Amino acid sequence: MTSLMQHAAEQAGLADIADRVDRGERLTYDDGLRLYRTPALHVVGHLANQVRERLNGDRCYWVRNQHINYTNVCNKSCVFCSFYAAPRDHDKGYVMSPEQVGAKVRAYAHIPIREVHMVGGVNPKLPYQYYLDIVAAIRAERPEATIKAFTMIEIEQIARVGKRSLAECLLDLKAAGLDMLPGGGAEVFSERIHEELFWAKGDSQRWVEVARIAHGLGIPSNATLLYGHVEQTEEKVRHLMLLRELQDETKGIICFIPLSFHPENTGLAHLPPPTGLQDLREIALARLMLDNVTHIKSFWIMNTVAVTQAALWYGADDTDGTIQEYEITRDPHTDREQRLTSDELMALIRETGRVPVERDALYRPIEEVGCAQ
Ligand code: V47
């Protein structure tokens, strides 16, 4: 660490943590609390950047991807969600057929997409075979892309409707073409918040249980934390530590994504959205606490492009991708700013001084998997 930064860390009362980061030692729960609470965000960011560069050098990963939301019908009524339609809300609810999913993929056939990210609501009407068919529809259109689909919560529903064990269900999906699971549905690992905001959905233990089984079967996943609503600092540090323990055990988490809460059109619309500085702190804390997870993503569509550019110096080494359409926090019919071209995305990364590396969902650089344009 430069003497200037050492001085800043001392002034902020964080010299001991800075020493531990320097030595590559694991940070504790109390360290996490202090890093969340210190006003010296520049020191936290510097420490996170040190770890980021140790793990990922100057690289910043991005992906040509496409998000598909196969249904918005959901029986979970999560208070923080603006995307879902209750099963009886026939005006708002939709379900895409396997043919429509295939057509969505085909619509971008002119772009060499490497990751298809598909999630949806928990729709009790959909049969088991439907899920296999929508994965197979993507696989048929995009043999070369990685398919990242279904949160742990959806996996639980799919297994339930198919009367299969979680392992059987995951293996069936894998045989249909699934490569990995996205990180959503974790929210905050806190019984209090589970009760308050997403009581109908599986809790942290269930999320971890599904993840453990998937990882054990060689199906990796991402992980997330939804922040900026009613959560407390202690709950966020515990969330990160629980994920760190899971990762010690399974090594199945590829990337962690702190998700910045968008209150508009949700049951929490009265709350102010997180600020840019809060977003940067979450990225930095994730980088510092999750010492065993290689990648930290700043999801530009939720964090904004501007914050994502700064985040590349606060611990993030990934921006997500070109996206095309995104419906969880934005309406694709009214909001056009949901895609970046690959040139735009690479230029935004280069402007920060980082080196853009195109990847697939498993972080294989595109050149190495032999499918560069
Ligand atoms: O599970 C719901 C969250 C998640 C809101 O794995 C909200 O690469 C903010 O998990 N404001 C889905 N967030 C998105 C997700 C994700 C996104 C990008 C990349 C990856 C990955 C995963 O979005 C949900 C929920 O936690 N969410 N409502 C909201 N109002």
Side-chain angles (χ1 to χ4, degrees), residues 182-257:
E187 322 313 355
V188 187
F189 292 161
S190 147
E191 205 35 56
R192 182 186 73 86
I193 298 177
H194 180 243
E195 284 299 306
E196 202 173 324
L197 301 187
F198 59 104
W199 57 87
K201 227 159 68 168
D203 61 6
S204 56
Q205 280 180 5
R206 196 66 179 141
W207 193 96
V208 167
E209 185 187 341
V210 180
R212 188 179 277 128
I213 293 171
H215 298 173
L217 294 169
I219 303 172
S221 75
N222 288 342
T224 55
L225 161 72
L226 179 65
Y227 66 87
H229 43 88
V230 302
E231 84 283 0
Q232 290 167 0
T233 305
E234 291 83 352
E235 292 165 326
K236 288 189 288 197
V237 179
R238 268 198 296 275
H239 182 100
L240 295 173
M241 293 192 66
L242 248 167
L243 285 176
R244 191 167 76 182
E245 278 170 31
L246 173 69
Q247 179 72 340
D248 276 343
E249 183 189 325
T250 69
K251 310 208 174 7
I253 302 173
I254 299 187
C255 173
F256 177 78
I257 309 115

Side-chain angles (χ1 to χ4, degrees), residues 80 117 148 182-185 187 222 226 257 260 262 297 326 329:
F80 53 77
H117 180 160
K148 178 170 76 178
E187 322 313 355
N222 288 342
L226 179 65
I257 309 115
S260 184
H262 282 239
K297 177 185 297 186
Y326 195 70
T329 50

Side-chain angles (χ1 to χ4, degrees), residues 8-9 11-14 34-35 37-46 281:
Q11 282 218 313
L14 299 172
R34 287 167 63 200
L35 291 166
R37 288 176 177 153
T38 176
L41 182 60
H42 59 298
V43 175
V44 181
H46 179 85
R281 191 183 294 266

